[in-house]
Amino acid sequence: MEKEFWKAGNMLYPIPAVMVTCQREGERPNIITIGWTGTVCTNPAMVYISVRPERYSYDMIKESGEFIINLTTKALVKAADYCGVKSGRNTDKFKDMKLTPVTGKFVKVPMIKESPVNIECKVKQILPLGSHHMFVGEVLGVHINPQYLNKTGKFELNKAEPVVYSHGEYYGLDEMMGTFGYSVKKRKQK
């Protein structure tokens, strides 16, 4: 069967669904749910988020030069959806979703206590790309919930039940299918 051709568009799914916190000095903090996000560089640690300029959070991030990426989980999926469809212009999303703002170590933006991972970022560059502008952020620090550390100190994020977003739907990650390098790993001889 031949494949059907579609016009150019984004078909890179599933994607992370993260809650990004931001705040301007003297104003209440806001949460925006972002799907266009990812790793840019390992050393120095860099990430990106892409935001439409008309979104309420856009100017907050641009003016403050700071944001925090808060990973979402099965327990946070309703809050993630709410924070993506409601505007912070009209509502306090922390209050509405009963989320706890916690002071970070490097930025003045609060992180979400209920998130298993919070990534503090400083904006290094803003790239206007069309419908979205990409904020490239340097990772200043990462906070993890110690309840997901095993006995040897390994962080087991999958136990927090992270979620992804695919074509308007949220999904959990259900099973591991392999580990990095397993396709070339030599089997032990008996």
Side-chain angles (χ1 to χ4, degrees):
M1 175 187 345
E2 264 188 61
K3 291 190 175 183
E4 187 174 319
F5 178 79
W6 289 5
K7 67 177 183 156
N10 293 320
M11 274 297 185
L12 187 59
Y13 286 101
I15 56 177
V18 301
M19 292 188 287
V20 173
T21 47
C22 54
Q23 184 175 17
R24 268 190 288 239
E25 194 169 329
E27 295 182 15
R28 77 169 176 257
N30 191 44
I31 306 168
I32 180 174
T33 300
I34 298 285
W36 307 137
T37 185
T39 299
V40 175
C41 185
T42 302
N43 192 8
M46 307 275 280
V47 294
Y48 79 91
I49 59 170
S50 292
V51 183
R52 289 181 179 270
E54 62 269 16
R55 295 293 299 262
Y56 177 64
S57 297
Y58 177 89
D59 287 328
M60 296 174 97
I61 296 168
K62 184 176 180 180
E63 291 170 22
S64 72
E66 301 175 337
F67 62 91
I68 296 180
I69 296 174
N70 303 273
L71 299 191
T72 57
T73 63
K74 184 177 178 181
L76 292 170
V77 72
K78 184 175 181 180
D81 184 67
Y82 183 88
C83 293
V85 297
K86 288 287 193 175
S87 174
R89 284 185 182 96
N90 311 315
T91 189
D92 181 339
K93 297 177 191 179
F94 274 100
K95 182 179 174 186
D96 293 353
M97 291 288 96
K98 296 177 177 50
L99 297 172
T100 311
V102 178
T103 303
K105 185 172 182 176
F106 298 103
V107 300
K108 294 177 183 170
V109 174
M111 57 189 169
I112 300 171
K113 180 180 180 180
E114 292 79 6
S115 173
V117 178
N118 317 92
I119 306 168
E120 292 189 67
C121 302
K122 179 173 183 57
V123 176
K124 297 305 275 183
Q125 190 174 8
I126 302 171
L127 301 169
L129 300 172
S131 64
H132 291 69
H133 292 187
M134 179 188 288
F135 290 88
V136 177
E138 180 179 1
V139 176
L140 302 178
V142 178
H143 304 263
I144 62 159
N145 186 329
Q147 88 180 62
Y148 301 110
L149 292 175
N150 69 17
K151 291 177 184 175
T152 65
K154 179 184 176 192
F155 185 61
E156 296 180 326
L157 177 61
N158 290 334
K159 290 189 176 177
E161 300 181 295
V163 296
V164 294
Y165 181 81
S166 184
H167 293 275
E169 300 171 335
Y170 302 97
Y171 291 92
L173 306 177
D174 62 352
E175 70 177 271
M176 181 178 68
M177 294 181 278
T179 58
F180 180 77
Y182 84 101
S183 64
V184 295
K185 188 175 182 179
K186 293 182 180 181
R187 293 179 186 233
K188 291 183 180 181
Q189 300 292 328
K190 292 183 180 180

